[in-house]
Amino acid sequence: GFQAPDALPLVAAPWPALLLAARAPGVAATPPAPSARRVLICAEAACGRLAASLETTLAGEGRAVSLLPFETVPPGRVLRGADLVLLAAGTEDVAASLAFATRLADSARGVAASFAMVGAGDAARGAALAGLGRVLANELPELAPRRITIAPGLPAAAAARRLAAELRGTAPEVLVAADGRRTPRLLQGLPAPAAGGRRRLAIGQPGQVGSLAWATMPPLPDPGPGEVRIAIAAAGLNFRDLMWAQGLLPEDALMDGFAGPTLGMECAGVVAAAGPGVALRPGQRVLGFAPAAFATEALTRAEALAPMPPGLSFEAAATVPVAFLTAAYALETLARIRPGERVLVHGGAGGLGLAALQVARAAGARVAASAGTAEKRAFLRMAGAELVLDSRDAGFADALRAAWPEGVDVLLNSLAGEAMERGLSLLAPFGRFVELGKRDFVENRRAALRPLRRNVSYFAVDADALPRAKPEVAAALLADIAARLAEGALLPLPHAAFAAEDAEAAFRTLQASTHIGKLVIRPPAEAPEAAAPWRPDPDGTYVVTGGVQGFGLECAKWLAANGARHLALVSRRGPATPGAQAALRTLAALGAKARIDACDAADGDALGALLARLRREGPPIRGVAHAAAAFADGAAATMDRARFAAVLAPKLLAAEALDRLTAEDPLHLFLLFSSATTAIGNPGQANYVAANAALEAIARRRHEQGRPALAVGWGPIADAGVLARDAATAETLSRRAGTEAMAAQDALGALPALIAAGVPVVNLARIGWAGLSGALPILAEPAFAAMRATASGGEDGADLRAALRALPPAEARTRILRLAREEVARILRLPAEAVGADAPVAGLGLDSLGGLELRMALERRIGVQVPLAAVTEDLTLARLSARIAAVVLDADETAAVAELMSAHEPVAAEREAAE
């Protein structure tokens, strides 16, 4: 009775395996608990099918749903206490749709329980609705309108199911597409260009994993006697690398190791050069140890390498050296494991644990293994562990004794503190305890020796030191491991491979201990030679709408100064525009032949005729710069259809016409002038923000189609356009928002870099985020988390503490909670809204090392000692924030001291994260 059966290869399984999957018939999903609130759906005619499907979906969830007519704003008594959903497409009259949405929002203010603005139709029209919603989020903060955009092409039934799920959520703004959901994030800086040449992973700021970056490395010397230079294809990530990156290992702890105090110690790649006396030859594929292995190349010793077995990928080979050499050295060389002996492996689901499991079973031993999650324990059972224990349960020793009363003959330990001592007590007479962790050594911890009295041997193993101190032993072990891999007696470890740009994600994954097996990082590939900076084509025509005056004319002048020789300036009044002749003379002096044409670019027929004339009378059209704009500012409540239309026509309608009518032209520039106010929903400019949001959507659509497109959200321009004509407005904007106006040519001078970045939308503005954040409610949304961190990062601890103490206590605690949530989200690479205030942070994946990073980050930002000694099972951000508030606000000195004492009480059974 099962449907659609399939057999899927399990690439991460410890042996060849298939997952048999099928869909069970007649299985219905359990609907969520019904809500008592009514749902009112107000939909445009073009959204009729979506509205009907949404009504059916919500009714199936137990909701009471009513459909309201569009274009008639219902009275407040109808909206009271209801969840209001607006479905708008804007295909017929986008200005009318936005005007109605504004009136509906004003009516729902203080009445409706919630308001969701859903754009369903053309991407640009949906973006315009979302842009309006940003302004309303600032002007009507008590309404807190949510902005949801349904991507074009999503079937109505699927869109309704996805929309119903979004309505149950809390994301302020989201795009629902066939391939997933996207939420906006505003980040500082341009994407890093593809790195070329020799690169090495480095920590920018000691102790901060977020500062990991691929830095240029100096050329390596030619290999000397016994040395090999290898081109690295993949490198394995180890717990030692994470601790070094976090500043948790003193340098002297690594000095005796083969890799020393560097990032990366194992890799796989190709021999690039070999020194005298080396049997390996250039071009040979190898695996092994190398200092600073997170790099494009490394210089190492020949005895630290072994030829790669045939059929092994570089990523799989990079999982081998540390894990298998350590397992083989610990179990076979030191512990001399024998058939039938009982072995306990802590951290069994990690790379070393799974390698030890294979080595022990190959020797005929019986294996018990521990892991911290049910999923990992299930994997260990599948991999052949006879007994599986919970490493996070302090009673693991009792559980093992219950199954194996005699204890174990060999224990591979990676736990620290009291958990390590419990492991010692499990050893049978003549047992062997092999310590693989570093924490107790770094802390110089004392341990009771009584368990060793029964002829128990204690070994401390650091595989990094073996190739340096005992190179012949390391070479023999590596060669033997490679031979066993070639024979199939051992199998490479399950692994997850990360691209170079995701190196931080790999470190965060290891920190959260959410993986099974090994993590592997690929170094940057050799980048092609950097392209020359973008320049205009002297043999092409550039069309500049709004190009006769203001910032548009400045753009035309920039094009001419940089090599454009044919310019077509378009405006509604054309040559009759004041200053038109002066503009022509200026451009001629810059070497450009310019013409001015009168045309309403929003009129598709008129624009099409003009473009056809330009093609007949001049060189091919190579670029478009759409700088036309109009303004009709005012509060959203005053915006009617006419005021929306006045701004949308020269912006959106003209951009759509340019997009459509230049589809066959050989463009290498399609530049749209947006505004930095679009992202933040500037109050008083609902029509302008909506129009610019639509332009940005057009740029994104063209970018996805592989066509040239760049929408630039310009900040204030000092010497051209509106602010040049209105000094009072410029001064008010600077005072209110902390913005600094730019000179037009300075701003335009950034265009080559913006174009080279290869992104469809970018903002270029000088904004004082610290001053702006208190003025705009929207800046509290997750989209601006990075900007808030930038703003608070600019404050020193004393300033932030003073600001917190100046706030009402409730607001100060809320701000502290927000800071903590942002830091946890950054560490765990989660959306900030996914980090609940009352959810235990351990359940989110924050371990003891993550707790240390959280503490250090908060101490840097706030400038006080943060009362966080350990991540316990019941620690929540709400509790942590209350502790910090007690210290920062100094509201009750006794309470603050008590919180600190409570936080720093010793916690039993702290364990080193071993997976």
Side-chain angles (χ1 to χ4, degrees):
F2 285 84
Q3 303 167 1
D6 200 358
L8 308 173
L10 286 176
V11 296
W15 54 72
L18 295 174
L19 172 66
L20 302 180
R23 187 172 65 251
V27 176
T30 302
S35 169
R37 291 203 300 260
R38 297 172 297 128
V39 180
L40 303 179
I41 302 175
C42 188
E44 272 187 329
C47 301
R49 292 183 60 191
L50 175 59
S53 295
L54 181 61
E55 179 185 20
T56 301
T57 302
L58 293 175
E61 296 178 359
R63 306 291 298 271
V65 185
S66 299
L67 298 180
L68 300 178
F70 197 79
E71 297 181 350
T72 301
V73 176
R77 57 181 173 77
V78 175
L79 302 178
R80 187 172 302 281
D83 291 327
L84 179 59
V85 181
L86 170 69
L87 303 180
T91 50
E92 297 297 327
D93 187 342
V94 62
S97 297
L98 296 177
F100 174 73
T102 304
R103 297 197 306 274
L104 185 62
D106 192 54
S107 180
R109 177 183 188 179
V111 177
S114 69
F115 182 41
M117 306 170 68
V118 182
D122 175 77
R125 311 301 172 96
L129 184 67
L132 169 62
R134 293 175 191 168
V135 177
L136 294 176
N138 286 319
E139 294 194 22
L140 309 177
E142 67 276 25
L143 181 61
R146 298 179 60 203
R147 294 88 64 193
I148 303 173
T149 303
I150 306 295
L154 199 62
R161 289 194 300 271
R162 301 277 300 279
L163 178 54
E166 290 297 338
L167 292 175
R168 294 193 296 271
T170 60
E173 186 169 336
V174 63
L175 169 67
V176 178
D179 59 350
R181 65 192 295 271
R182 303 183 183 97
T183 56
R185 293 291 185 270
L186 189 64
L187 303 176
Q188 190 169 15
L190 293 172
R198 303 175 184 88
R199 314 293 286 186
R200 177 180 291 162
L201 193 62
I203 285 283
Q205 298 180 23
Q208 297 190 33
V209 175
S211 67
L212 282 167
W214 294 94
T216 302
M217 60 180 285
L220 295 175
D222 291 333
E227 292 183 333
V228 179
R229 188 172 74 242
I230 56 175
I232 297 174
L237 177 61
N238 291 281
F239 195 65
R240 161 245 195 233
D241 300 314
L242 175 62
M243 294 184 71
W244 175 245
Q246 290 184 303
L248 301 178
L249 279 180
E251 188 168 318
D252 60 2
L254 301 177
M255 291 303 296
D256 292 335
F258 183 76
T262 65
L263 283 176
M265 57 186 287
E266 63 177 333
C267 60
V270 176
V271 174
V278 175
L280 298 170
R281 290 293 174 258
Q284 194 168 1
R285 292 154 60 98
V286 292
L287 58 84
F289 293 81
F294 291 129
T296 52
E297 62 179 17
L299 187 68
T300 189
R301 298 290 305 174
E303 55 268 22
L305 299 174
M308 273 177 55
L312 210 60
S313 70
F314 285 118
E315 291 82 2
T319 71
V320 169
V322 169
F324 279 100
L325 184 139
T326 302
Y329 181 66
L331 292 173
E332 296 174 344
T333 305
L334 298 180
R336 300 181 182 273
I337 190 171
R338 295 185 295 275
E341 288 195 311
R342 298 175 299 276
V343 179
L344 171 58
V345 179
H346 281 310
L352 175 53
L354 291 174
L357 180 61
Q358 290 193 52
V359 171
R361 294 186 73 231
R366 302 169 64 188
V367 182
S370 71
T373 67
E375 294 81 4
K376 292 179 180 181
R377 292 191 289 274
F379 187 89
L380 287 173
R381 293 185 187 96
M382 183 181 71
E386 180 179 336
L387 179 62
V388 178
L389 307 169
D390 184 352
S391 61
R392 296 181 181 176
D393 183 356
F396 74 86
D398 296 332
L400 186 139
R401 284 286 189 188
W404 292 349
E406 302 86 354
V408 296
D409 300 294
V410 180
L411 194 156
L412 294 190
N413 182 66
S414 54
L415 302 184
E418 294 180 8
M420 179 272 291
E421 295 192 43
R422 281 194 291 273
L424 277 173
S425 69
L426 290 173
L427 286 167
F430 296 92
R432 286 84 80 198
F433 185 94
V434 184
E435 178 60 75
L436 305 175
K438 291 182 171 60
R439 181 170 176 178
D440 285 337
F441 296 135
V442 171
E443 296 178 356
N444 197 24
R445 188 181 187 278
R446 296 186 178 186
L449 296 180
R450 185 176 178 82
L452 304 182
R453 72 191 187 282
R454 297 189 297 173
N455 292 289
V456 169
S457 302
Y458 183 100
F459 300 99
V461 174
D462 182 359
D464 186 25
L466 197 60
R468 179 178 179 178
K470 301 282 186 181
E472 68 288 349
V473 175
L477 284 171
L478 270 181
D480 180 61
I481 290 165
R484 286 195 266 179
L485 285 166
E487 296 167 359
L490 296 176
L491 298 174
L493 300 173
H495 60 274
F498 291 78
E501 59 269 23
D502 297 323
E504 182 188 346
F507 276 72
R508 297 294 186 194
T509 302
L510 182 62
Q511 181 182 51
S513 192
T514 56
H515 66 292
I516 289 176
K518 289 282 288 187
L519 302 177
V520 174
I521 298 175
R522 304 185 192 96
E526 286 292 331
E529 186 176 344
W534 186 92
R535 294 182 64 85
D537 180 358
D539 298 319
T541 297
Y542 292 83
V543 179
V544 184
T545 63
V548 185
Q549 288 182 321
F551 197 29
L553 175 59
E554 292 297 319
C555 180
K557 289 159 62 176
W558 182 85
L559 287 167
N562 284 274
R565 295 294 171 259
H566 305 275
L567 295 170
L569 312 184
V570 180
S571 72
R572 281 181 292 180
R573 288 183 288 176
T577 304
Q581 295 307 310
L584 291 177
R585 289 193 297 270
T586 299
L587 293 170
L590 291 170
K593 180 181 179 181
R595 57 184 288 172
I596 296 178
D597 291 274
C599 177
D600 182 359
D603 183 338
D605 293 338
L607 181 62
L610 171 61
L611 294 175
R613 190 162 63 251
L614 293 176
R615 296 183 189 106
R616 289 194 306 270
E617 298 175 0
I621 298 173
R622 293 282 282 139
V624 170
H626 180 38
F631 298 90
D633 295 347
T638 68
M639 292 286 173
D640 56 14
R641 181 197 173 281
R643 295 181 75 172
F644 273 107
V647 176
L648 287 166
K651 279 276 187 183
L652 171 57
L653 300 186
E656 289 179 327
L658 288 165
D659 175 49
R660 182 176 67 254
L661 296 172
T662 61
E664 302 302 322
D665 291 302
L667 300 184
H668 74 145
L669 175 70
F670 194 87
L671 177 62
L672 300 171
F673 278 32
S674 181
S675 169
T677 61
T678 306
I680 60 177
N682 195 41
Q685 291 190 306
N687 45 11
Y688 187 63
V689 170
N692 283 319
L695 259 62
E696 294 176 0
I698 292 173
R700 291 189 177 96
R701 182 177 63 201
R702 288 179 61 95
H703 186 75
E704 290 173 357
Q705 295 168 346
R707 303 163 67 195
L710 174 64
V712 180
W714 300 106
I717 302 298
D719 53 352
V722 177
L723 296 187
R725 299 190 300 268
D726 189 346
T729 299
E731 195 278 332
T732 300
L733 184 63
S734 176
R735 185 181 67 253
R736 183 181 300 168
T739 57
E740 181 183 345
M742 301 174 287
Q745 291 304 311
D746 288 345
L748 292 163
L751 276 176
L754 302 183
I755 293 170
V759 293
V761 178
V762 65
N763 293 286
L764 184 68
R766 297 167 180 163
I767 297 177
W769 292 103
L772 190 61
S773 59
L776 299 178
I778 198 173
L779 294 185
E781 294 183 359
F784 302 95
M787 298 301 102
R788 291 196 299 271
T790 299
S792 61
E795 300 176 291
D796 63 24
D799 291 340
L800 182 54
R801 290 196 306 277
L804 289 169
R805 287 168 179 158
L807 293 172
E811 290 185 27
R813 292 186 183 94
T814 299
R815 186 170 179 186
I816 292 171
L817 175 61
R818 189 175 72 197
L819 290 176
R821 176 182 281 121
E822 289 169 1
E823 290 298 336
V824 170
R826 177 186 61 80
I827 292 168
L828 298 180
R829 301 180 69 83
L830 293 171
E833 63 268 24
V835 181
D838 297 314
V841 292
L844 296 173
L846 192 76
D847 63 359
S848 58
L849 291 181
L852 284 174
E853 184 174 358
L854 174 62
R855 190 188 74 196
M856 290 187 292
L858 290 174
E859 287 177 349
R860 278 194 302 269
R861 293 181 69 171
I862 303 175
V864 299
Q865 184 180 21
V866 171
L868 175 61
V871 175
T872 57
E873 294 296 327
D874 59 349
L875 177 67
T876 66
L877 286 186
R879 294 184 63 183
L880 176 60
S881 300
R883 293 177 184 174
I884 298 172
V887 177
V888 173
L889 303 182
D890 202 23
D892 184 341
E893 186 175 349
T894 302
V897 172
E899 287 284 358
L900 280 168
M901 291 179 63
S902 172
H904 288 286
E905 280 294 316
V907 177
E910 283 188 270
R911 298 177 178 83
E912 178 178 23
E915 300 167 31

